[in-house]
Amino acid sequence: MIKIDFTNVMSDFIGEKHGILFEEIEAYKEIVKEVHEKIKEERDNSFYFTKLPYQHTEEIKKLAIEIRENFDYFVVIGIGGSALGNQMIQEAINGFNYNNFNYPKFYIMDNVDPEKIGNILDLIDIRKTMFNVITKSGSTVETIANFAIVLTTLKDELGEDYKDHLIFTTDPEKGFLRKFGEREGIKMLDIPPKVGGRFSVLSNVGLLSSAVCGIDIDLLLEGARKADELCMKISNPLENPAYLIGLIHYLACERKGKHISVMMPYFERLSSFVDWYRQLWAESLGKEGFGQTPLKSIGTIDQHSQIQLFRESPKDKIITFLRVLESSRDYKIPKDIPEEIGYLANHSLKEILDIELEGTIAALIKSQVPNLTITIDRLNHYNLGMLIYIYELATGFTGMLYKINPFDQPAVEEGKDFAYGLMGRKGYEKKLEEYRELVKEKYTLEIND
Ligand code: PA5
């Protein structure tokens, strides 16, 4: 069960200045219907991610079993859309102690921070490690750099056997990694060409590491399929969860100046879900002067950090709370506690977590801060699959409302090009010149010992 309660974004609860009118939603119904038709037409192209829930999983499950039987460690080398979803699924399903289970221990090498990479290399036994290099483009600097370090280490340790410790997940035709893999005879999995990085978690990108670590990928896809069946049938935004989330955020941003979208789970296993959402929302919609800044907040921790700001700062935020009804464990506070803290007696930690959320919601209503609550009965494979799909479709849909392309990221490329220039890559000499024109160190303050 997934329920979206959007009462507190509506004008009758938080006032017309900050809240959305039902008439505003009504006025968009025709536009949403047109967008809905376009999305359906695009299912074999730009919205191909909506078809991922229907893929066959036999090959990936077989591979996962082989890996589980032969390796003690599974390391993903990838970044952005080629890593965030993998981490999100692990944490959401297996919890923070995922490396204490009887599956290969799971690590991600994303950043090129040498200390982080070194720490992972310290933890693993390279002879017992399978590395899954994931990159759609096949050429992302961080991924290729980390891969190059691992490759050298593997070759030094294992000679020709190094190949048995690598799986590449990449575009079926393009990119350095595909060519290298073909040349060296390395096991490779495809990323569907029409699925971009941040929409790829339900492809081989996210499914292999999940299956290796014991996650039921069929149930995950079943949940996504259920969401797809519903969302492709109904265009009414009041009945379609993805369109409801998208339209509310669009109207809140465009009509009420809510340029920041806070996502605040009151269930920490969803912490990495927010990291995944941040990339999806920011990179897809932040273009051509449009977009909403996604902001991470964790309940209750950030009640003691950000809620002051959410209530009293400029009213530029819309908040989405994520709530999970069932907790796999709970602790009850005993009856015989000191009188001064007696109000806690007999409450469980989960109850307190939920009560704190309710208190926060009431405080935000009082400050007229629009907020919606997504409630999930339990955080299992099926519901997670649904939630992933709903947010992916909400993102693609919102991009269509803004009339922008939610599937590209032109502004990311420029920074990469400057980096190539600085690294001396052939063909990027002009970028290096441009960099030198742009970046100067003129005003500084330095404190020395
Ligand atoms: O969503 C995207 O396309 C990007 O954020 C990518 O996921 C990220 O840049 C990594 O790219 P690649 O998978 O090509 O290495």
Side-chain angles (χ1 to χ4, degrees):
M1 181 276 283
I2 294 184
K3 181 172 92 184
I4 303 171
D5 179 348
F6 60 104
T7 312
N8 304 326
V9 296
M10 301 309 290
S11 61
D12 42 343
F13 278 77
I14 54 162
E16 268 192 40
K17 189 163 175 217
H18 300 290
I20 296 166
L21 293 160
F22 264 103
E23 295 83 81
E24 288 175 301
I25 293 183
E26 283 296 323
Y28 264 85
K29 274 196 175 157
E30 273 313 302
I31 294 173
V32 172
K33 209 169 170 182
E34 280 168 32
V35 170
H36 177 70
E37 291 310 318
K38 275 196 203 133
I39 288 175
K40 286 203 296 187
E41 280 166 27
E42 280 294 307
R43 258 160 92 80
D44 279 317
N45 291 300
S46 57
F47 278 75
Y48 190 80
F49 70 87
T50 61
K51 294 181 93 172
L52 293 176
Y54 299 89
Q55 73 200 273
H56 296 292
T57 55
E58 281 69 30
E59 190 195 332
I60 206 129
K61 284 187 297 194
K62 201 166 147 255
L63 183 58
I65 291 169
E66 278 167 31
I67 294 168
R68 280 217 294 264
E69 282 169 357
N70 293 294
F71 296 91
D72 292 344
Y73 304 90
F74 188 83
V75 178
V76 162
I77 304 179
I79 196 164
S82 294
L84 288 165
N86 304 63
Q87 182 70 29
M88 176 261 282
I89 295 178
Q90 283 301 324
E91 273 185 28
I93 301 298
N94 287 335
F96 294 103
N97 288 344
Y98 54 79
N99 275 343
N100 288 348
F101 294 149
N102 200 15
Y103 298 112
K105 296 198 190 317
F106 173 67
Y107 300 101
I108 295 181
M109 291 181 170
D110 48 4
N111 207 348
V112 275
D113 181 328
E115 294 194 358
K116 179 174 183 175
I117 298 306
N119 288 344
I120 296 174
L121 289 171
D122 288 346
L123 287 171
I124 62 176
D125 175 350
I126 206 151
R127 294 177 165 269
K128 294 178 183 158
T129 304
M130 174 60 87
F131 292 92
N132 182 199
V133 189
I134 309 178
T135 164
K136 173 78 190 297
S137 61
S139 60
T140 299
V141 171
E142 293 88 338
T143 305
I144 299 303
N146 284 332
F147 167 56
I149 304 288
V150 164
L151 183 66
T152 314
T153 318
L154 275 174
K155 280 184 170 173
D156 287 350
E157 286 269 335
L158 302 161
E160 267 309 288
D161 288 348
Y162 83 92
K163 293 176 187 172
D164 303 335
H165 291 251
L166 286 169
I167 296 173
F168 294 166
T169 307
T170 191
D171 187 274
E173 283 172 13
K174 289 189 260 175
F176 156 76
L177 203 69
R178 170 63 56 178
K179 288 195 190 76
F180 180 82
E182 277 166 4
R183 201 167 65 221
E184 302 288 309
I186 286 162
K187 168 88 186 154
M188 286 192 276
L189 299 173
D190 294 346
I191 304 177
K194 287 172 185 157
V195 177
R198 56 194 175 273
F199 292 86
S200 68
V201 60
L202 296 180
S203 73
N204 286 331
V205 169
L207 294 184
L208 181 61
S209 65
S210 299
V212 167
C213 297
I215 284 156
D216 187 334
I217 58 173
D218 288 328
L219 268 181
L220 195 71
L221 293 178
E222 197 183 317
R225 223 159 35 234
K226 172 79 185 169
D228 178 71
E229 281 159 18
L230 174 84
C231 291
M232 287 302 132
K233 224 173 14 206
I234 299 169
S235 75
N236 181 352
L238 294 171
E239 293 173 38
N240 181 316
Y243 297 174
L244 182 63
I245 291 170
L247 185 58
I248 283 174
H249 281 79
Y250 173 80
L251 290 173
C253 185
E254 292 304 294
R255 298 275 168 89
K256 310 287 170 184
K258 311 301 172 199
H259 295 293
I260 298 176
S261 163
V262 179
M263 183 177 272
M264 190 166 187
Y266 273 68
F267 204 75
E268 275 204 57
R269 269 161 55 199
L270 284 169
S271 173
S272 288
F273 184 86
V274 187
D275 298 330
W276 172 79
Y277 160 75
R278 249 184 343 191
Q279 186 211 14
L280 190 65
W281 205 248
E283 212 167 64
S284 304
L285 305 177
K287 52 195 70 155
E288 297 178 36
F290 296 111
Q292 230 177 9
T293 305
L295 186 69
K296 180 174 183 175
S297 191
I298 301 291
T300 68
I301 297 168
D302 290 314
Q303 278 179 219
H304 305 274
S305 157
Q306 293 172 310
I307 287 290
Q308 168 65 35
L309 173 99
F310 295 168
R311 290 193 67 201
E312 292 189 10
S313 68
K315 294 274 162 40
D316 52 2
K317 298 169 198 69
I318 173 168
I319 301 177
T320 301
F321 294 111
L322 303 178
R323 175 184 205 161
V324 180
L325 295 181
E326 253 180 44
S327 173
S328 66
R329 58 211 297 188
D330 203 358
Y331 299 92
K332 203 168 187 157
I333 295 169
K335 232 177 29 215
D336 53 344
I337 50 172
E339 209 187 315
E340 301 93 304
I341 54 166
Y343 68 93
L344 288 172
N346 283 328
H347 286 298
S348 74
L349 292 186
K350 178 66 167 74
E351 268 170 36
I352 298 172
L353 189 65
D354 290 341
I355 289 169
E356 294 253 13
L357 168 60
E358 278 153 24
T360 302
I361 290 174
L364 288 170
I365 296 172
K366 231 176 133 180
S367 303
Q368 299 178 303
V369 177
N371 63 90
L372 55 152
T373 302
I374 301 184
T375 303
I376 305 163
D377 51 359
R378 60 191 74 88
L379 187 50
N380 55 19
H381 304 82
Y382 184 83
N383 284 338
L384 183 67
M386 271 182 119
L387 202 60
I388 289 171
Y389 178 94
I390 288 170
Y391 265 95
E392 285 179 346
L393 184 62
T395 306
F397 164 79
T398 310
M400 305 280 277
L401 292 182
Y402 281 120
K403 298 195 170 66
I404 51 156
N405 178 0
F407 303 111
D408 65 0
Q409 54 282 329
V412 180
E413 305 306 327
E414 182 113 49
K416 288 187 191 171
D417 292 347
F418 281 127
Y420 287 144
L422 284 162
M423 281 185 271
R425 185 170 174 181
K426 230 174 136 211
Y428 290 83
E429 296 78 6
K430 283 231 150 56
K431 274 290 172 210
L432 182 60
E433 278 171 34
E434 199 186 340
Y435 172 88
R436 289 191 173 133
E437 274 305 301
L438 279 169
V439 183
K440 308 265 188 278
E441 193 178 274
K442 193 169 172 195
Y443 309 111
T444 65
L445 184 149
E446 192 171 318
I447 302 167
N448 293 307
D449 302 339

